Amino acid sequence: MVLVLATRWRGEALRGAFWLIPWLTVIATGTKGSTSPVVIAGLGLAAAAMLIWNRPMFWPVVRDAVVIGVSLIVTMVVVFHGSVAGLKLGVTNSAKQTSLSSVIGGVASREQVLFVSAAVIIAGLTRAALAFALPFRRESRLDPVSWVLIGAAIAGAAALGLFSHPGRSQSYFTLTAIPLAATGSAIGARHLWLALGRRRALLLGALSAVAAFVFFKGILMWTGRIVPRKYDQFWQITTIAAVVVLVAAVIGALVVRRQWWRGALTTVALIGLFAGAGSWIDTYRTSVPVPDERPATLTSQNATTVGMLRAARYIREHSEPTDLVMTNRHCTTVREPRGGATAAGGWSALSASGRCSSKDGPPRREPRRLLRTAGTRSPSTTGSRRSSNSTTPSSRRPRRTHSAGCGTSACGGSMSRRRDRTPTI
């Protein structure tokens, strides 16, 4: 979609490319409801920038923004029936749903809420760190594409700190914006390379890489892992991290000398870019155990309600081993994966005792135990194996399809609508 916009604004698009804009908007929004909003946010920033620096491009940008906005509204009404699936604006609730809040043991004051929200927004902007160099070059400042990339990155990161969702699906806005943010950083890196020169750019890159390692890894090696609810330690680590960034910025300013501010800002941006990439890799290499709360309540993390068990039993009783059960059950909080899969896909797979199409892999033991406790027949070993993401059609008869997904825009569910009365898990 952004590529079509860029080629149209630059006069490189073929005739009739305009009609691709609403069509691509409908496809993107119907597939994942978080795609078009970040693009519209980028177009809003681009329109404001064009009004200041390049007024002939103001109306073309506004026109495309209106077309995408109308297409988004139509898709939301037709496909998702206007549902946002519990997506709400609120800093307090969004801060409580962040991973940072889980690491420090929750937010206990207004200052912590604001700090956590600001921290996750800044962390979400690390992929676009070098994109903010684009406005400093006249050619890029006059190009609306530069502002679309920056605006989309800001909107995607801001969603983490401003919105909350029962399934924490506000992170999809950030994930949607990452390709645009990375593209902006790539263009910004080229501009900085040309402006700073090869020698200075390499020096700043090496300095920032070392500082980034100290920022996200070295400090914790010195102070130890963050202990939940030990807020004094958390503030100590935050202060040390700020000092590391400040010292690196000063050294970067000395490397560039004449345009010292350019060296300082470039160093800070590179630290954010490298630290963000490093922490992302570290997240996938390590896991954080989630303790079970006893006794559990309805609001407890990983709690399983009676309604879930009844829905699972209903699917079990109204399906055959050859039926296909599709699930979007990952739209609720699940515990840490054990044995390579989460509990998300397990509910539908175990209850159906048939084939299951799920993002979350084969079922785990926990759903099986709870289903037995609820009086549901425990699936056989053969049935459990057959339920692991197999979509091979049956040769005996046509297969029915049951959807156990949320099917809403915020969750990203694009499952087909059920015409029976199968309850949603």
Side-chain angles (χ1 to χ4, degrees), residues 278-291:
S279 61
W280 183 83
I281 296 174
D282 191 57
T283 299
Y284 281 85
R285 291 180 56 191
T286 59
S287 60
V288 179
V290 180

Side-chain angles (χ1 to χ4, degrees), residues 3 17 31-32 58 77 125 133 135 141 216 225 239 265 272 329 336 341 356 369 382 402 412:
L3 180 61
T31 304
K32 182 69 71 175
F58 173 75
V77 172
L125 287 173
R141 189 165 59 245
F216 83 94
R225 286 286 180 181
T239 303
L265 292 177
R329 176 65 174 82
E336 188 70 18
C356 178
R369 181 182 63 80
T382 304
H402 300 273

Side-chain angles (χ1 to χ4, degrees), residues 309 312-313 316 350-351 370-378:
L309 298 176
R313 292 187 63 183
R316 173 70 173 236
L350 290 172
S351 61
L370 290 175
L371 285 172
R372 282 202 301 263
T373 305
T376 306
R377 301 188 307 273
S378 176

